[in-house]
Amino acid sequence: MNETENAPAALPRYTLWQMVRYMLALGTWGFGGPVALVGYMYRDLVEKRAWIAEAEYKEGMALAQLMPGPLAAQLAIYLGYVHYRVLGATLVGAAFVLPSFFMVVAIGAAYVAFGGIGWMQAVFYGVGASVIGIIAMSAYKLTTKNIGKDKLLWGIFAASAAVTVITKSEVIWVFLGAGVLVWLLRAPPKWAKWASRGTVNGLAAPLVAFFAMDHLDWHKLGQIGAYFAYAGSFVFGSGLAIVPFLYGGVVQEYHWLNDRQFVDAVAVAMITPGPVVITTGFIGFLVSGFWGAVVAAAGTFIPCYLFTILPAPYFKKHGKRPGIVAFVDGVTAAAIGAITGAVIVIGQRSITDVTTAALALVTVAVLWRFKKLPEPVVVAVAAVAGLVLYPLAHT
């Protein structure tokens, strides 16, 4: 028996409450979508505070990419699990998701009360462009930190980025194939050493109205729960992947929302902090009020919670073995490539003219020059810029 496997785990350098407070703050102020959020976690928890080891972060990234569900939420859940197991995963995951959930519910109440959010287009005009700059910087940092000068990982990175741009989604077989490829090439199992080595293939509106249950449509709530649980169980990658999936069900199949309402729902997710898939809470609110929001959000996030904590013990116990390390390196390179490809895909939707292109470039320049500038400040300035520039650009 390997002695390192029996060695006691190092005591954490932080308390569970400190991690919960961090995730509450990230869920409240963390703009930029999944790419930016996983970048913030790396910057804050691995580099700055050293609460999480880089290997543990990479294990979490690999698990989040391999399992269906929202990337950033799954990574947060795994990081909570690292030292505090199921209790940590549960509290940290809830702390990360709840702030943005209550925000979209409040926006949903205002949306219903005032018949739409006309100013949101102007805000999204500025914020959407600025967010591309934030995401690009996060992708750059992840790339330089995790891939370095490794030619094999760069090849996987480029292939994964290209697949993401072409398909406009993350493809699970790319992550699995990348992990297997690096595993077989760098830490091959005994059965593979004699095999041919040249044929490896990589694949707070009124509370009473919110909580009222006397007029609930239980049948519709059941439909909402079933559909969003299905979406949370079978869509891999970031919020980028779930958006077209949701459109097919929410607009085309069930006709719960029209096209304009769905676009507004996506915009709400983009201009609020936290995970992009929290748009499911906004959609649920429009369909069936507060409890519709609760059921939709729960249906989306409970599967990803289970898909994270159930395999997590295996990752914790065997994650240091050479074969697992090589597999994780391959999956991580593919994941970062997919994230970089997502920057291009999202940019195609947010960069619509010279003004938005300039906003994205200015954001990158500002974050490059002022590395400690808080992202919420950048997003707030971009929102104001959007309110000013959108009417001028569309006159």
Side-chain angles (χ1 to χ4, degrees):
M1 179 75 68
N2 192 331
E3 293 183 3
T4 59
E5 292 185 12
N6 293 327
L11 293 175
R13 303 177 61 180
Y14 61 96
T15 66
L16 175 56
W17 175 237
Q18 285 178 310
M19 179 65 88
V20 169
R21 282 190 299 175
Y22 171 79
M23 288 299 178
L24 274 172
L26 185 63
T28 304
W29 306 109
F31 290 90
V35 182
L37 290 170
V38 299
Y40 300 154
M41 293 181 205
Y42 183 88
R43 178 195 66 189
D44 298 334
L45 302 179
V46 178
E47 291 185 321
K48 289 185 177 180
R49 308 182 188 187
W51 289 355
I52 302 295
E54 185 157 349
E56 293 166 336
Y57 177 89
K58 290 171 70 175
E59 290 168 7
M61 278 284 287
L63 182 61
Q65 288 289 349
L66 291 173
M67 296 293 112
L71 173 68
Q74 286 176 298
L75 179 59
I77 292 168
Y78 185 84
L79 296 182
Y81 182 90
V82 166
H83 290 116
Y84 292 98
R85 299 301 185 263
V86 174
L87 177 62
T90 304
L91 295 180
V92 166
F96 180 64
V97 171
L98 286 177
S100 54
F101 171 76
F102 287 118
M103 289 181 198
V104 298
V105 167
I107 295 174
Y111 188 97
V112 171
F114 299 107
I117 305 177
W119 53 265
M120 189 173 294
Q121 284 185 319
V123 171
F124 183 70
Y125 181 77
V127 171
S130 180
V131 161
I132 296 303
I134 295 174
I135 295 174
M137 285 298 295
S138 296
Y140 169 76
K141 292 177 182 178
L142 284 171
T143 302
T144 55
K145 291 292 183 182
N146 290 280
I147 297 181
K149 298 181 179 180
D150 191 310
K151 294 182 180 179
L152 174 61
L153 297 185
W154 270 111
I156 293 172
F157 167 89
S160 180
V163 169
T164 302
V165 172
I166 293 170
T167 65
K168 294 181 171 56
S169 65
E170 290 87 353
V171 180
I172 182 61
W173 300 112
V174 174
F175 305 133
L176 290 174
V180 171
L181 175 63
V182 179
W183 170 44
L184 293 179
L185 290 180
R186 295 190 171 171
K190 293 181 179 179
W191 58 263
K193 291 182 178 179
W194 50 263
S196 173
R197 296 182 181 180
T199 58
V200 179
N201 293 315
L203 289 159
L207 291 178
V208 174
F210 276 6
F211 296 101
M213 300 184 67
D214 52 341
H215 299 295
L216 288 181
D217 185 336
W218 293 100
H219 174 70
K220 181 175 285 187
L221 282 180
Q223 285 184 316
I224 293 171
Y227 176 73
F228 284 101
Y230 174 73
S233 300
F234 292 97
V235 176
F236 289 86
S238 67
L240 173 70
I242 203 172
V243 167
F245 186 89
L246 290 179
Y247 179 83
V250 170
V251 178
Q252 296 180 324
E253 181 178 354
Y254 289 102
H255 307 289
W256 287 331
L257 303 182
N258 58 39
D259 284 340
R260 172 60 187 274
Q261 290 172 321
F262 185 81
V263 171
D264 287 347
V266 176
V268 166
M270 292 297 292
I271 67 172
T272 52
V276 171
V277 293
I278 202 62
T279 189
T280 57
F282 183 83
I283 293 171
F285 188 93
L286 297 189
V287 176
S288 197
F290 175 79
W291 293 107
V294 171
V295 170
T300 305
F301 286 100
I302 288 177
C304 89
Y305 168 79
L306 296 175
F307 284 131
T308 303
I309 64 168
L310 294 180
Y314 173 83
F315 270 72
K316 287 296 298 173
K317 183 177 180 180
H318 303 289
K320 303 299 186 295
R321 294 185 176 181
I324 299 296
V325 171
F327 181 83
V328 169
D329 283 342
V331 173
T332 301
I336 297 171
I339 288 169
T340 304
V343 174
I344 298 173
V345 175
I346 299 172
Q348 292 173 341
R349 294 176 170 85
S350 299
I351 308 300
T352 57
D353 53 28
V354 174
T355 304
T356 48
L359 284 171
L361 292 174
V362 168
T363 300
V364 171
V366 168
L367 291 176
W368 184 276
R369 175 64 180 83
F370 304 101
K371 292 181 171 54
K372 294 185 178 181
L373 183 66
E375 284 82 5
V377 174
V378 178
V379 171
V381 173
V384 174
L387 289 171
V388 173
L389 296 174
Y390 182 80
L392 299 176
H394 292 78
T395 299

